[in-house]
Amino acid sequence: MRPIQATIDRSALTHNLSVVKATAKQSKVMAVVKANGYGHGLLNAAQGLAAADAFAVLGLDEALALRNAGYQQEILLLEGVFSADELLTVSEQSISIVVHCEAQMEMLENSHIKSVSVHLKMNTGMNRLGFKSEAFESALSRLAQCQQVKEITLMTHFATADEAQGVSAPFALFNRVTEGKSHPKSVANSASILRFSETHLDWVRPGIMLYGSTPVSGQSAASFGLRAAMHFTSQIIAIQVLETGESVGYGQRFTADKKMRIGIVACGYADGYPRHAPNGTPIAVDGLMTQTLGRVSMDMLFVDLSALPDATIGSSVELWGNQVPVDAVAESAGTIGYELLCAIAPRVPVRVLT
């Protein structure tokens, strides 16, 4: 069997949830487990995060999978429902919905469901989903009068919580529009949880930090006390010796300027490793740090073994995990840790540590 695998450490998920709770002490925690638990497996993530007060997902199928697995917490559909038929199901299964546009409002008002909990979303600058501030109070008034609605939470999502400009302007807008309203409020994503304690309102909504990746550029996950929940590993399956002037891989993107020993790793972009990772992307062999060389192939990539004389066929390789932060690989490849975690291919075997 090909030696590549992704190992999911549920204890790391539990640990990271405890970091959230210790940081946002007065808030309830809604753990975001969309995108198949950020690539970790929906139910794997839910089991590791079982102590969360609620879960947030994208689609109804994910919400039903959690309900069918026995989770009784509040479950929120982050994009709401897409059809009137879904409203009946969410009502029957006690699933909460985001309402972010006029069409969803009308769908809810025209339905014949018993009741549903709603998170009304304000657009405070992301310009993705949500009612603009000038329309928000009217939308809230309509929901308050809608007999199909039993509870209302007020929410927004920050566009720049991880950027230098922070959240002061959108947070001030949200506070101004919602001032004096007694409904629970939910605004803080992972970056806000770690950077802006004033945003820790009734609810916080951690996502990427639960999986041990940093939401803040320039600061490592470890600096926040977070642990990697995914360990992506493989082995050396062949070794080549390059003479001075010889190249390696498609396009000959790396040429040796001296005699070099190169390892071939059983992992490529069809497994979820970024094809655009350049020469010098960090990687570990037998627990020792080194770097990738050449262009990533569909099923293989190349690693510099010149300073690792004991490395041989069968040597262990950590693509990312405890020693090689996924964020370091992502930064080298010009992307973010979220993308890499979500991109693990279905063909990669998954092992779960409880």
Side-chain angles (χ1 to χ4, degrees):
M1 180 181 290
R2 196 161 170 260
I4 192 170
Q5 74 173 7
T7 300
I8 307 303
D9 184 355
R10 288 183 190 152
S11 69
L13 294 166
T14 303
H15 167 82
N16 296 337
L17 178 60
S18 72
V19 172
V20 175
K21 290 186 171 185
T23 305
K25 297 182 178 66
Q26 304 304 316
S27 305
K28 292 182 179 180
V29 178
M30 177 175 286
V32 181
V33 294
K34 63 179 180 176
N36 194 31
Y38 284 55
H40 294 66
L42 175 64
L43 296 184
N44 289 334
Q47 289 180 55
L49 303 170
D53 300 291
F55 293 112
V57 296
L58 192 70
L60 184 56
D61 57 339
E62 296 171 306
L64 293 176
L66 291 173
R67 279 284 182 260
N68 292 336
Y71 291 97
Q72 299 302 309
Q73 294 101 317
E74 179 179 3
I75 300 173
L76 176 67
L77 297 181
L78 287 168
E79 291 183 359
V81 295
F82 299 97
S83 70
D85 291 342
E86 291 187 335
L87 277 175
L88 178 60
T89 302
V90 300
S91 176
E92 291 174 344
Q93 295 294 324
S94 296
I95 295 167
S96 302
I97 60 172
V98 166
V99 170
H100 61 76
C101 65
E102 177 69 21
Q104 288 180 330
M105 184 77 73
E106 292 177 355
M107 198 184 302
L108 187 58
E109 290 172 331
N110 294 329
S111 71
H112 299 288
I113 62 173
K114 293 180 180 179
S115 63
V116 65
S117 293
V118 169
H119 289 233
L120 180 63
K121 190 164 193 176
M122 185 189 303
N123 175 7
T124 54
M126 175 74 83
N127 289 316
R128 192 172 64 176
L129 300 179
F131 291 89
K132 289 288 185 72
S133 59
E134 57 269 23
F136 190 78
E137 290 199 61
S138 174
L140 177 57
S141 178
R142 286 172 65 181
L143 283 180
Q145 297 174 46
C146 183
Q147 63 181 2
Q148 293 89 339
V149 175
K150 59 181 177 181
E151 295 173 337
I152 303 171
T153 298
L154 310 181
M155 71 179 295
T156 193
H157 189 63
F158 297 128
T160 56
D162 57 338
E163 304 285 343
Q165 66 196 86
V167 302
S168 57
F171 189 44
L173 175 61
F174 180 86
N175 287 335
R176 178 177 61 78
V177 175
T178 63
E179 184 178 7
K181 295 176 172 58
S182 60
H183 305 284
K185 299 176 178 67
S186 171
V187 302
N189 57 9
S190 291
S192 301
I193 291 167
L194 294 171
R195 299 184 69 201
F196 306 110
S197 60
E198 66 272 21
T199 67
H200 300 171
L201 305 179
D202 300 285
W203 286 94
V204 293
R205 303 191 309 272
I208 194 65
M209 68 181 295
L210 294 172
Y211 305 95
S213 178
T214 183
V216 182
S217 178
Q219 291 186 256
S220 70
S223 72
F224 296 115
L226 303 172
R227 290 167 39 191
M230 179 189 291
H231 309 283
F232 192 25
T233 58
S234 190
Q235 291 180 8
I236 301 293
I237 61 170
I239 292 176
Q240 299 289 343
V241 175
L242 299 185
E243 300 295 338
T244 301
E246 289 189 323
S247 300
V248 64
Y250 287 116
Q252 298 185 330
R253 292 301 178 92
F254 175 80
T255 300
D257 60 3
K258 59 185 176 182
K259 188 172 182 178
M260 298 183 69
R261 193 162 170 264
I262 305 298
I264 290 77
V265 181
C267 178
Y269 60 78
D271 300 298
Y273 198 86
R275 181 179 182 271
H276 49 286
N279 294 326
T281 298
I283 193 168
V285 176
D286 286 340
L288 300 174
M289 294 298 296
T290 183
Q291 60 182 348
T292 65
L293 299 173
R295 178 180 284 171
V296 176
S297 304
M298 181 181 286
D299 309 306
M300 290 170 279
L301 57 83
F302 306 96
V303 59
D304 186 1
L305 301 181
S306 300
L308 306 177
D310 295 330
T312 187
I313 292 175
S315 285
S316 63
V317 175
E318 183 181 274
L319 301 145
W320 59 73
N322 279 334
Q323 189 172 8
V324 183
V326 67
D327 303 301
V329 179
E331 182 178 3
S332 181
T335 184
I336 54 176
Y338 303 67
E339 181 180 11
L340 301 190
L341 294 175
C342 292
I344 294 294
R347 77 178 192 176
V348 175
V350 176
R351 182 171 69 108
V352 180
L353 301 179
T354 56

